[in-house]
Amino acid sequence: MIAGLFRFKGGIKPETHKNASAGSPIQIAPLPKQLIVPLRQSPRATAECIVVPGQKVLKGERIGLPDSPLSTAVHAPTSGTVVEITPHAMAHASGLQTRCVVIEPDGDERWIDRPTLDYASASPKEALAWLRDHGIVGLGGATFPSHIKAGVDGGIETLILNGAECEPWITCDDRLMRERADGIVAGALILKHLTGAREIVFGVEDNKPQAIEALRTAIHGLSGDITVIPVPSLYPAGGEKQLIRVLTGVEIPHGKLGGDFGVQCFNVGTAYAVNRAINHGEPLVSRVMTVTGNVDKPGNFEVLIGTPVEALLALGQPKPDTGRILMGGPMMGFELPRLDVPATKATNCLIATSPTLFPPPPPEMNCIRCGACAVVCPAELQPFELYWFSRARNFGKAQEYHLFDCIECGCCSYVCPSQIRLVDYYRFAKGEIWAREREKSAADAARERFEFRNERQAREKREKAEKLAAKAAATKAKLAAAPTDAPAAVATDTPAGPDDAKRALIAAALERAKAQKAAVEPKNTDALTPEQAAQVAEADARRAAQAAPDTAADAPESN
Amino acid sequence: MLTAILVMTGIALVLGAALGFAAIFFKVEGDPLVDNIDAILPQTQCGQCGFPGCRPYAEAIANGEADINQCPPGGEEGIRHLADLLGREFKPLDEEHGVEKPKSVAVIDEQTCIGCTLCIQACPVDAIVGAAKQMHTIVEAECTGCELCIAPCPVDCITMEPLKETVKTWKWKYPVIQIKDVA
């Protein structure tokens, strides 16, 4: 049981804007004309496609198999026909393409067989494989495979269910907790069983009283150590390390994870998906998303994975002055470069912007070294130093100051009086460092291959020389043993001398060649039909007739 | 007087022995400077520097036989790193040895390839797969873009194609600060 709450350093309190969509119950989004399901699920993993164009698929049928430990299966979000498997722009700041399965829904939403799993009697291995095959990933935004997180070997004391939802505008987890608290709690119990945790703690920001109430009702009467704790609304209280800190007081140091300290954290949406997968046999084919911002009807929708963003946005009815579209929250989300991209398992929110809601950032000014960013940094870094180093491309130094502990929450950019978009610099620096690491490992691989090739060439040369020497020695020995046969005939008209051995070698080789020639017979005249035999005979006769006049003509000259 | 001489001799012997042991036990195999230089070079093994591979060039730099600005694939950044390591002044790339190009990989036009294996023999990193009178192809992931396979090809079926940006290689650009709105 938790006695009191702790707090993490820093944090900000931005305007939440949650009221825009918090009152709207989850609606089922209508089926779009086409669903575009990306096979790439996260920077870490892709799935191997197992369907072909033209194939009929049922809702929940597997279309992608996990091809690496960090990968999970991908499923058809609805029943219909696979139209094509093609590169398509994806929901990524770059707007680049990735391989997607395009499915045309038939409108029936026919499910595939949905066997359930009795997790209490199943082995942990079986249950984890079940999660992987049902495509369960963390729905908080990072899409980390849940079977990896739930599969840490023991040592987990506390299971935290993250319902903080600290980013402004987003209300999908809030609605999920209010409406489907029972499913979340059931999922939490499964995760507790899998991780072997002793207690379950729900962390919900105190600006969601109805959600807290709903969860409390759902856990009422359940045995075991299970509590719902309201945490102060302070961005980014929903960050994993921050929430662990607030609830348990454990500060996760650099390079460690919650699991190392007996705490594992899952999003409430993930818990709900786990429940659907195990107790209902449904793979993860949909999730709840918030469509909000500069729209007439902000709301929360249960959306099939692969629904194009355009179709989703239309559900909210964007106002005419809508500008850029953000995916994710305003703090950590990114601007969509185009709108035909599909929603993914990571998409929790779409925000339509307008010049009044999101005024264009004022021009950046110089850093005045005020230190405001360091005060709010929840990762306890020195953002201004990181900014200087990243800006100067001094990446080594930036890493020394723990650039990679930055969670890109955007608090520093939010408070910067000079309007410096610090996070952009960190993202740039991180990208450059990763690119350098890739180049370095490519260069190392090339060096290794080059050295191996040189070694191989030297070895081949050596082996060839050895083989030749051995062969020469063997022939020499043979000749020495029988020096009187064939070579004698050749040797009659040549004086004996040091060349003898060589001549003998040549003679032996000639002898061998002759024998070989005699041994070789035409092979394609064995099984001939009578007509073919007649043709061959005719050709032979013609050839002989041709040859005869030639010799006749040659004869006088030769005489 | 004698004591002083004995003491000094004793110290000299002890220190000499210590140095002697250190020379044996902490002996450095090879020249670490060459390794450090080699680690900076891009390992394309292209020979544009005038040496048969990256390591020979690294050795030449370490021996003072070659300058630090002869490696086009390493580019300006490579020269800067070398200058930092060796404590020398930065110099622009010597254009005699080539110019910096975007990272590319060789691509074999499989319709034209006659299967002569000449490119396979030329490839310094064994990135070409094929056999005599069989079509050849290049393993893109292993190709360093050294261009050494282009010259030997008798039918000119190898071209260099710049690497396209993928999600794996995409990175955030350097933030551009807008000082004033441009109409």
Side-chain angles (χ1 to χ4, degrees), chain A residues 463-538:
Chain A
E463 279 173 0
K464 205 170 168 188
E466 276 167 13
K467 216 163 132 190
L468 280 176
K471 214 169 163 188
T475 328
K476 233 179 219 169
K478 213 163 102 190
L479 286 172
T484 45
D485 290 352
V490 187
T492 45
D493 55 341
T494 47
D499 282 348
D500 268 6
K502 236 180 212 171
R503 276 175 205 288
L505 272 178
I506 294 167
L510 280 173
E511 205 63 26
R512 263 203 314 278
K514 222 182 253 172
Q516 229 167 33
K517 210 171 171 188
V520 174
E521 281 186 18
K523 284 179 190 154
N524 56 351
T525 51
D526 297 339
L528 292 181
T529 59
E531 297 97 83
Q532 283 169 333
Q535 272 173 356
V536 171
E538 198 184 312

Side-chain angles (χ1 to χ4, degrees), chain B residues 13-81:
Chain B
L13 283 175
V14 169
L15 289 181
L19 282 174
F21 278 117
I24 293 162
F25 287 116
F26 302 111
K27 192 171 190 303
V28 180
E29 291 289 340
D31 190 349
L33 183 60
V34 174
D35 283 333
N36 290 342
I37 297 174
D38 197 36
I40 292 174
L41 297 176
Q43 304 303 323
T44 43
Q45 319 293 353
C46 61
Q48 289 181 71
C49 51
F51 295 89
C54 294
R55 197 166 178 93
Y57 177 45
E59 279 160 11
I61 294 177
N63 296 337
E65 291 159 13
D67 216 334
I68 56 171
N69 60 348
Q70 300 182 1
C71 176
E76 206 184 293
E77 203 179 308
I79 301 174
R80 275 187 204 287
H81 276 131

Side-chain angles (χ1 to χ4, degrees), chain B residues 87-163:
Chain B
R88 298 204 201 151
E89 278 294 304
F90 169 80
K91 293 179 183 175
L93 184 68
D94 188 349
E95 298 213 342
E96 238 177 66
H97 295 276
V99 285
E100 200 175 339
K101 291 179 199 164
K103 210 166 160 14
S104 312
V105 289
V107 176
I108 292 182
D109 176 8
E110 295 168 350
Q111 297 297 320
T112 324
C113 174
I114 54 169
C116 68
T117 75
L118 287 177
C119 57
I120 296 183
Q121 293 160 36
C123 180
V125 289
D126 286 337
I128 306 181
V129 187
K133 295 193 182 166
Q134 308 287 322
M135 187 182 76
H136 300 352
T137 196
I138 290 172
V139 184
E140 193 190 302
E142 307 291 354
C143 176
T144 62
C146 68
E147 304 187 7
L148 289 180
C149 51
I150 291 182
C153 180
V155 288
D156 286 338
C157 70
I158 306 180
T159 45
M160 296 305 294
E161 288 194 3
L163 275 178

Side-chain angles (χ1 to χ4, degrees), chain A residues 38-59:
Chain A
L39 290 162
R40 175 188 185 271
Q41 307 148 14
S42 73
R44 298 169 289 267
T46 49
E48 189 191 326
C49 184
I50 52 166
V51 287
V52 289
Q55 189 175 333
K56 296 256 185 257
V57 287
L58 292 174
K59 184 172 176 131

Side-chain angles (χ1 to χ4, degrees), chain A residues 7-14 166-168 234-239 242 330-332 370-381 383-384 406-424 426-427:
Chain A
R7 58 162 297 156
F8 61 90
K9 193 192 139 280
I12 53 171
K13 280 184 188 246
C166 55
E167 270 219 55
L234 182 69
Y235 179 83
Q242 283 69 35
M331 303 295 291
M332 294 185 70
C370 64
C373 49
V375 173
V376 296
C377 180
E380 302 188 36
L381 300 170
F384 51 90
C406 165
I407 56 171
E408 300 180 22
C409 64
C411 290
C412 47
S413 310
Y414 183 83
V415 297
C416 180
S418 294
Q419 283 95 26
I420 299 170
R421 300 195 302 279
L422 293 109
V423 177
D424 289 359
Y426 307 152
R427 285 175 170 167

Side-chain angles (χ1 to χ4, degrees), chain A residues 198-212:
Chain A
R198 199 175 44 76
E199 57 169 349
I200 301 177
V201 181
F202 283 88
V204 186
E205 270 195 355
D206 55 12
N207 59 8
K208 298 184 240 322
Q210 290 104 321
I212 294 170

Side-chain angles (χ1 to χ4, degrees), chain A residues 40 90 92-94 96 363-364 391 425 427-428 432 435-436 438 440 443 446-447 449-450 453 456, chain B residues 38-39 42-43 45 77 121 123-126 142 144 166-175 177-178:
Chain A
R40 175 188 185 271
M90 61 174 168
H92 190 264
S94 66
L96 286 166
E364 213 172 286
R391 202 182 130 146
Y425 288 92
R427 285 175 170 167
F428 157 74
E432 286 295 323
R436 275 174 177 65
R438 273 197 305 273
K440 186 95 192 80
R447 181 189 299 123
R449 290 176 76 85
F450 179 61
R453 175 179 178 268
R456 192 197 68 218
Chain B
D38 197 36
Q43 304 303 323
Q45 319 293 353
E77 203 179 308
Q121 293 160 36
C123 180
V125 289
D126 286 337
E142 307 291 354
T144 62
T166 66
V167 191
K168 281 217 169 93
T169 57
W170 180 84
K171 46 193 183 187
W172 290 90
K173 304 287 173 286
Y174 190 77
I177 308 162
Q178 205 172 7

